[in-house]
Amino acid sequence: MNAAQDNLRIERKFFGLRPGLEELQEEFAAALRRFGYDEAAAFAIRLAIEEAVVNAHRHGNKGDAAKCVHFRSSISPKQIDIEVIDEGAGFDPGAVPDPTREENLDIPSGRGVMLMHAYMTDVEYIAPGNHLRMSYLKRA
Amino acid sequence: MPVSLLQIRRVEGAIRVDFVEKNILDEGNLHQIEQEIRTAIDAEKHPRVLICFKNVEHMSSAALGTLLALKDSIEKKGGELRLSSIDRRIYEMFVITKLNRLFSIHESVEQAAASFTTK
């Protein structure tokens, strides 16, 4: 792989979710194979992208197809960086109830954010909370 | 009428559900899946439902929420829900969210079918 191929950037703007999100996922999966990521990585990243973009559209933009979800990513042989930015007012990730607490197990919210934290190496929401930045480091 | 995303049939007194799609993600699809299963549940007094995940490769947190809603409806009717044949990576999602504690999950459809307590 020469220097020009060491880093691939994929960028999208979503005003609705489908079928654009599936097309992005297919392009991403092909890129991950090309950069030598294994199936566990592909599963993790597909899930994180799904949760991030759906959350941004549904919760951030309140499902408004006139508003944009901006997806930016960089794929290299060792690391994947993803940013998802919506046009909403943001939220306090610390205020999301822990979905694994016994009293919260059967409520619907918080699980998407939790799964992103579990599967990605690093996840952070930049204030006011409408800008998600996450990364995945390839395992040695 | 949209094309069904599920195969639903009766097996030994239980409602057996198999997925046609390998990705259980999209909210529109999830709504349709939920409605198809609810229609089957509504026809039963004490529904015994076995959902087989053999064909499923990807799921989302929205799908977990749909399963929780179905479980609640089935149990309110005095019925039982069993899940089976879940890919190990998807099962990990249940473990991370601790939903493996709430659902009755079995390795095979045979084991799931044998675990129903009501007849």
Side-chain angles (χ1 to χ4, degrees):
Chain A
M1 215 177 262
N2 63 37
Q5 292 172 312
D6 274 357
N7 191 311
L8 173 68
R9 293 184 183 278
I10 297 177
E11 190 165 342
R12 288 282 190 288
K13 287 184 176 176
F14 293 100
F15 290 89
L17 292 176
R18 318 285 171 181
L21 184 50
E22 269 81 25
E23 290 163 5
L24 170 68
Q25 294 281 25
E26 292 310 315
E27 184 178 349
F28 225 90
L32 293 180
R33 283 194 294 274
R34 206 159 70 239
F35 280 87
Y37 286 86
D38 63 14
E39 281 186 29
F43 182 92
I45 291 155
R46 187 183 195 109
L47 179 63
I49 291 174
E50 172 78 21
E51 299 293 342
V53 174
V54 170
N55 267 355
H57 174 70
R58 189 200 309 155
H59 299 300
N61 290 347
K62 311 285 184 210
D64 184 349
K67 291 184 176 174
C68 178
V69 173
H70 195 166
F71 177 94
R72 293 197 295 238
S73 64
S74 160
I75 305 172
S76 73
K78 291 186 176 173
Q79 179 168 344
I80 294 156
D81 294 298
I82 293 170
E83 288 183 272
V84 178
I85 304 158
D86 63 59
E87 294 187 40
F91 75 111
D92 175 6
V96 176
D98 178 354
T100 64
R101 286 180 67 92
E102 208 66 46
E103 65 271 24
N104 296 336
L105 275 181
D106 59 355
I107 63 169
S109 61
R111 245 172 246 120
V113 173
M114 180 179 198
L115 287 168
M116 286 189 281
H117 277 285
Y119 282 97
M120 298 298 280
T121 310
D122 191 43
V123 176
E124 69 170 327
Y125 278 94
I126 297 163
N130 67 334
H131 184 166
L132 168 67
R133 191 184 283 160
M134 56 188 176
S135 60
Y136 184 96
L137 301 185
K138 189 191 278 180
R139 287 176 297 187
Chain B
M1 186 79 180
V3 176
S4 177
L5 301 169
L6 302 170
Q7 185 185 49
I8 300 180
R9 59 205 152 118
R10 288 198 68 88
V11 180
E12 294 173 2
I15 299 165
R16 161 87 181 265
V17 179
D18 288 87
F19 292 96
V20 175
E21 295 278 328
K22 62 181 184 177
N23 297 334
I24 312 297
L25 302 164
D26 176 66
E27 268 192 51
N29 286 355
L30 281 171
H31 181 69
Q32 187 187 331
I33 286 167
E34 184 173 357
Q35 289 312 308
E36 286 186 38
I37 297 175
R38 281 193 188 283
T39 301
I41 294 168
D42 288 347
E44 302 281 318
K45 194 172 178 190
H46 302 299
R48 296 191 295 155
V49 181
L50 195 171
I51 304 180
C52 173
F53 286 79
K54 192 177 176 199
N55 303 325
V56 178
E57 294 178 8
H58 293 282
M59 259 178 60
S60 62
S61 65
L64 293 173
T66 298
L67 287 172
L68 278 170
L70 286 168
K71 177 179 181 289
D72 189 49
S73 298
I74 291 164
E75 291 178 354
K76 274 187 178 145
K77 291 190 79 174
E80 295 177 81
L81 173 65
R82 301 288 185 264
L83 310 182
S84 84
S85 318
I86 300 178
D87 172 88
R88 65 183 169 82
R89 292 208 177 94
I90 293 179
Y91 181 70
E92 197 176 83
M93 291 169 64
F94 283 82
V95 174
I96 289 165
T97 55
K98 297 189 180 173
L99 291 179
N100 59 321
R101 296 181 187 177
L102 281 194
F103 288 102
S104 178
I105 300 175
H106 301 265
E107 279 193 24
S108 68
V109 286
E110 292 78 16
Q111 288 169 343
S115 74
F116 285 117
T117 57
T118 57
K119 296 294 171 193

